[in-house]
Amino acid sequence: NASFEAASIEQYAASPAGPVDLLLSLHACDTATDEALAAGVRLGATAIVLVPCCHQELSDQIAAGAKAGALPAAARWQPALAKGLLQHRLADVITDSLRAAALESLGYQADVLEFVSPEATARNLMIRAVATTAAASRRRDAYARYRALADEWAVVPSLERLLGTLWPPQ
């Protein structure tokens, strides 16, 4: 009883064919992963599975903040920020940590895991989320973790804008 739709995220989210049980996004580059995440939340998906690809948006924001001396975390992380590859990988971790915390603050139980052997691909991180009836205090704690991390790195993920009126969570 599965159905599949070939459409852009924006097109499908504007007029879904029916209820969404599972939203799956594989290797969506940069903010396309955030577009998929936001669409899944807006459509009330029971489960969301994201396999991010590149993470350029926050990498650029972190690099700009470090260059301007505007990052609270910059002094502690200077060895990583000084090297392009390490700075990109650090941005990957920050980006996906924010995505998982955002999902939890929106009522999902989120797990971050490897889905294939690291020998197959370096891009093997999966964010798996299932809608729950999480207590309001748990959701508030997740939002506080999200906010603290975003503030420490002085980043504003496009996910916040893409979630529209659902962000910040109530």
Side-chain angles (χ1 to χ4, degrees), residues 32-43:
T33 297
D34 298 311
E35 290 176 36
L37 187 161
V41 171
R42 286 194 320 269
L43 293 167

Side-chain angles (χ1 to χ4, degrees), residues 83-170:
K83 304 293 183 198
L85 176 62
L86 294 175
Q87 188 259 313
H88 281 289
R89 289 192 178 170
L90 180 60
D92 290 357
V93 170
I94 293 166
T95 300
D96 291 327
S97 296
L98 288 168
R99 288 171 173 157
L103 281 162
E104 289 179 351
S105 72
L106 292 161
Y108 286 82
Q109 171 62 46
D111 297 307
V112 179
L113 55 133
E114 291 182 327
F115 70 99
V116 296
S117 168
E119 286 110 22
T121 177
R123 300 280 185 199
N124 69 344
L125 183 133
M126 174 190 292
I127 301 170
R128 179 179 61 192
V130 177
T132 67
T133 55
S137 62
R138 186 169 168 203
R139 293 170 70 163
R140 280 193 303 273
D141 289 348
Y143 179 69
R145 288 192 318 271
Y146 174 96
R147 191 76 271 138
L149 184 59
D151 291 347
E152 182 169 6
W153 287 98
V155 293
V156 181
S158 61
L159 178 60
E160 295 180 15
R161 174 185 48 79
L162 293 165
L163 285 165
T165 60
L166 297 174
W167 196 262
Q170 302 301 320

